[in-house]
């Protein structure tokens, strides 16, 4: 029995995937609210532990500072993580109450946890979710995670602050001041970027100098405004996993389902409504059992959308017994169907939506000429085509569509405007992890999206200008 991680690594090495071009550094900031007072005499001393999943195990990445006596802590600790667009990176945030008597984590200190993917946080910029207690019961406690992708600027600055003649806020002793620095965001809100230590009983404190990266302090923007605030008193410190995207089937899922879930899990984090139109091709369908190459898998032609990847899986499973698998393997009709939606979008809404067509097929394409024509046409539109070859057929024709070996042309000789097709044979990943498959399948998508908008001279809009929306089609 070969070690799973070895298989994963060898699959990555074989396909040259180790040096991903999609690596970005991301800063994650954390705040919590609604923490209940379990102890009538004192408020909790909260701390958040960040864990990341690797090979099914949770590993601690880092933890925040402990904030004394707070039910709504805003942590100054910034988690710096590597973000890969094309991977599912599962995160777990655990909230603990660290009493001053000890520093270890005990079960009795566990206040709740939240699980999500890094993709969900990055795509939403700000993610707020309720924490689940032991046994997955919900609590009133919630956590907010804010993400920011870092620019290439690695510069640091060293800052020193002091204050004089502060007000005396304590009754029996002098104030215990500490300093908080906030970065002013584009929407006028503030993000905590640094909190100094507390200087006890001192109205003219000198805080220790500290180093902070320009990314953290001002997003690399030297003209960005900062706000300085002084807090005078240390004691005033500010049924199934709901995140799981795995569909648990009572029997061993077939290769279509494995491929669909592996790729779909990634795509759905970047789709605002999580509704996926799903089509089938090459089957005789009820009621008259004529062959169709673009039928709705849920048999609702007016609304072929399925809710989430689980909805896609369920529609696929209920569809299979009702149809007669047939042929041939014609994929041009489905490419044309999505192209018509992309074309409408381009002409009516400034092309704010980008379409990703995921095709799962186990056959050699029989309408190659029409497919090449359809891809050349689609290369002018806001869409990409991902083809996953399932099974052991000879997929050499598919490699030609990929365009990596040379420029794809229509039968008339017209070249594609840009490379929009990615082909991956599923058998290469059969014994690797779903993450390795998804990584290979989606590696080219970010550049394809950027190339399209660059070619059209369409600049990215601020999040406030529109509700993020992208659509994913999945036959």
């Amino acid at each position: 029995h070969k070690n799973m991680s070895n298989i994963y690594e060898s699959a990555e090495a074989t396909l040259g995937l180790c040096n991903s071009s999609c690596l970005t550094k991301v800063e994650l900031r954390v705040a919590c609210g609604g923490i209940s007072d379990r102890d009538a005499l004192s408020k909790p001393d909260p701390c958040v532990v960040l864990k990341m999943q690797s090979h099914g195990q949770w590993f601690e990445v880092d933890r925040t500072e402990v904030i004394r006596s707070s039910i709504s802590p805003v942590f100054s600790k910034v988690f710096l993580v590597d973000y890969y667009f094309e991977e599912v990176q599962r995160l777990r945030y655990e909230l603990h109450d660290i009493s001053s008597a000890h520093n270890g984590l005990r079960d009795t200190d566990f206040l709740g946890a939240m699980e999500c993917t890094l993709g969900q946080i990055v795509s939403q910029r700000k993610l707020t979710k309720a924490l689940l207690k032991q046994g997955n019961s919900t609590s009133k406690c919630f956590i907010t995670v804010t993400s920011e992708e870092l620019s290439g600027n690695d510069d640091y600055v060293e800052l020193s602050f002091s204050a004089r003649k502060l007000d005396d806020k304590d009754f029996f002793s002098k104030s215990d001041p500490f300093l908080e620095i906030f970065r002013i965001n584009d929407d006028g809100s503030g993000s905590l970027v640094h909190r100094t230590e507390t200087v006890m009983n001192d109205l003219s404190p000198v805080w220790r100098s500290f180093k902070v990266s320009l990314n953290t302090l001002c997003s690399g923007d030297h003209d960005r405004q900062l706000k300085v605030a002084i807090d005078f008193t240390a004691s005033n410190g500010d049924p199934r996993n709901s995140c799981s995207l795995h569909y648990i089937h009572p029997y061993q899922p077939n290769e279509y389902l494995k491929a669909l879930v592996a790729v779909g899990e990634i795509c759905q984090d970047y789709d605002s409504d999580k509704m996926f139109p799903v089509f089938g091709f090459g089957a005789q369908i009820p009621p008259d059992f004529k062959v169709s190459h673009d039928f709705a898998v849920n048999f609702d032609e007016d609304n072929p959308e399925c809710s989430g990847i689980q909805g896609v899986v369920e529609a696929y499973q209920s569809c299979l017994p009702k149809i007669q698998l047939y042929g041939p393997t014609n994929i041009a009709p489905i490419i044309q169907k999505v192209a018509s939606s992309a074309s409408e979008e381009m002409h009516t809404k400034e092309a704010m939506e980008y379409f990703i067509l995921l095709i799962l097929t186990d056959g050699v394409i029989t309408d190659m000429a029409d497919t090449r024509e359809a891809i050349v046409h689609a290369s002018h539109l806001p869409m990409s085509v991902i083809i996953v070859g399932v099974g052991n057929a000879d997929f050499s024709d598919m490699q030609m569509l990929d365009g990596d070996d040379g420029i794809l042309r229509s039968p008339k000789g017209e070249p594609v405007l840009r490379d929009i097709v990615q082909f991956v044979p599923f058998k290469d990943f059969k014994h690797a992890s779903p993450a390795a498959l998804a990584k290979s399948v989606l590696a080219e998508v970010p550049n394809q999206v950027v190339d399209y908008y660059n070619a059209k001279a369409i600049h990215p809009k601020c999040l406030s200008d529109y509700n993020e929306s992208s659509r994913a089609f999945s036959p």
Side-chain angles (χ1 to χ4, degrees):
H1 176 67
K2 202 173 175 192
N3 184 313
M4 203 62 184
S5 64
N6 289 347
I7 296 169
Y8 179 23
E9 283 160 16
S10 63
E12 282 194 314
T14 307
L15 289 141
L17 299 174
C18 293
N19 297 323
S20 168
S21 59
C22 298
L23 165 65
T24 308
K25 296 274 188 194
V26 174
E27 287 185 339
L28 301 175
R29 291 182 170 76
V30 184
C32 296
I35 304 174
S36 57
D37 291 352
R38 294 184 301 161
D39 184 341
L41 297 175
S42 65
K43 289 190 172 77
D45 300 333
C47 165
V48 170
V49 176
L50 172 63
K51 294 182 176 177
M52 194 173 268
Q53 198 174 67
S54 176
H55 301 300
Q57 300 288 315
W58 290 108
F59 295 96
E60 180 173 332
V61 176
D62 209 343
R63 59 179 69 185
T64 65
E65 73 278 18
V66 177
I67 295 187
R68 299 288 172 207
S69 305
S70 176
I71 54 172
S72 300
V74 178
F75 297 97
S76 64
K77 170 72 180 179
V78 177
F79 295 117
L80 186 64
V81 295
D82 290 341
Y83 165 56
Y84 297 89
F85 160 80
E86 69 275 28
E87 290 184 25
V88 175
Q89 294 171 271
R90 297 197 180 285
L91 303 181
R92 177 178 169 87
Y93 290 88
E94 293 179 354
L95 179 63
H96 296 267
D97 178 6
I98 309 282
S99 65
S100 52
H102 66 90
N103 289 320
L105 300 182
R106 297 187 310 207
D107 288 344
T108 51
D109 302 319
F110 177 75
L111 300 181
M114 181 272 277
E115 292 179 19
C116 63
T117 67
L118 185 53
Q120 285 167 329
I121 300 170
V122 171
S123 62
Q124 295 180 41
R125 296 274 184 96
K126 190 174 190 176
L127 178 68
T128 299
K129 286 184 80 166
L131 291 168
L132 297 180
K133 292 188 280 201
Q134 303 283 30
N136 282 355
S137 60
T138 53
S139 66
K140 292 177 184 170
C141 194
F142 62 87
I143 188 166
T144 299
V145 184
T146 312
S147 76
E148 178 162 26
E149 294 184 48
L150 298 187
S151 68
N153 189 334
D154 290 335
D155 289 350
Y156 278 77
V157 289
E158 186 165 350
L159 299 172
S160 304
F161 286 91
S162 61
R164 297 186 63 193
K165 300 182 179 176
L166 298 178
D167 278 355
D168 194 351
K169 299 289 186 185
D170 282 8
F171 193 66
F172 291 112
S173 63
K174 293 190 173 72
S175 296
D176 309 323
F178 62 91
L179 187 72
E180 292 182 325
I181 301 173
F182 295 85
R183 182 186 67 205
I184 306 303
N185 299 319
D186 295 334
D187 61 1
S189 63
S191 293
L192 179 65
V193 292
H194 185 78
R195 181 187 288 121
T196 67
E197 77 281 8
T198 302
V199 179
M200 304 301 287
N201 297 318
D202 196 336
L203 301 183
S204 297
V206 178
W207 290 284
R208 285 196 297 268
S209 62
F210 58 92
K211 282 186 177 177
V212 63
S213 76
L214 284 181
N215 276 318
T216 299
L217 188 63
C218 56
S219 302
D221 175 6
H222 291 256
D223 297 322
R224 185 179 289 261
Q225 286 200 321
L226 300 175
K227 185 172 84 174
V228 175
I230 297 174
D231 195 317
F232 288 95
T233 311
S235 58
N236 285 344
D238 233 9
R240 279 170 75 118
N241 184 340
S242 63
C243 269
S244 173
L245 301 174
H246 289 297
Y247 181 71
I248 297 159
H249 191 248
Y251 313 107
Q252 177 64 23
N254 63 25
E255 293 193 0
Y256 271 99
L257 284 180
K258 287 179 187 169
L260 173 67
V261 171
V263 179
E265 272 201 310
I266 303 266
C267 289
Q268 76 169 1
D269 280 346
Y270 302 90
D271 187 298
S272 54
D273 65 1
K274 308 285 186 281
M275 298 298 289
F276 302 104
V278 187
F279 301 95
F281 55 91
Q284 296 173 317
I285 60 169
D288 51 9
F289 287 89
K290 282 186 179 158
V291 175
S292 171
H293 293 295
D294 59 354
F295 64 91
V297 168
N298 64 2
F299 299 116
D300 182 350
E301 294 298 332
D302 296 326
N303 183 19
E305 297 198 322
C306 300
S307 178
I309 296 304
Q310 181 157 333
V312 175
V313 170
E314 287 167 355
Y316 164 76
Q317 287 174 324
S318 72
C319 165
L320 269 179
K322 298 173 188 165
I323 61 173
Q324 185 64 49
L325 298 180
Y326 205 69
T329 305
N330 291 353
I331 65 170
I334 204 74
I335 295 173
Q336 288 158 356
K337 192 177 194 103
V338 177
S340 68
S341 296
S343 182
E344 267 177 49
E345 164 65 26
M346 186 172 78
H347 291 114
T348 56
K349 301 182 200 161
E350 296 185 303
M352 291 311 302
E353 288 187 354
Y354 192 92
F355 295 74
I356 296 173
L357 169 60
L358 170 62
I359 298 176
L360 304 176
T361 179
D362 67 349
V364 177
I365 294 177
T366 41
D367 63 340
M368 185 54 87
D370 289 344
T371 296
R372 283 163 53 199
E373 183 78 47
I375 289 169
V376 168
H377 170 66
S379 71
H380 294 258
L381 302 172
M383 65 181 278
S384 290
V385 181
I386 295 167
I387 304 173
V388 178
V390 179
N392 294 310
D394 174 10
F395 289 121
S396 49
D397 276 358
M398 300 285 207
Q399 305 288 1
M400 183 182 85
L401 296 179
D402 197 311
D404 287 351
D405 304 328
I407 294 177
L408 174 71
R409 294 177 182 271
S410 73
K412 296 175 193 153
E414 183 190 350
V416 283
L417 183 67
R418 56 196 186 89
D419 178 16
I420 62 163
V421 178
Q422 172 78 335
F423 171 72
V424 175
F426 184 65
K427 64 187 173 197
D428 290 0
F429 292 88
K430 228 171 142 173
H431 302 294
S433 71
L437 168 70
K439 190 169 180 177
S440 177
V441 166
L442 293 164
E444 295 180 14
V445 169
N447 285 336
Q448 289 174 358
V449 175
V450 172
D451 286 349
Y452 173 79
Y453 288 114
N454 276 344
K456 294 282 178 187
I458 298 173
H459 297 291
K461 297 209 169 187
C462 294
L463 280 181
S464 55
D465 293 350
Y466 69 102
N467 291 327
E468 296 167 83
S469 58
S470 63
R471 301 286 292 276
F473 279 82
S474 172

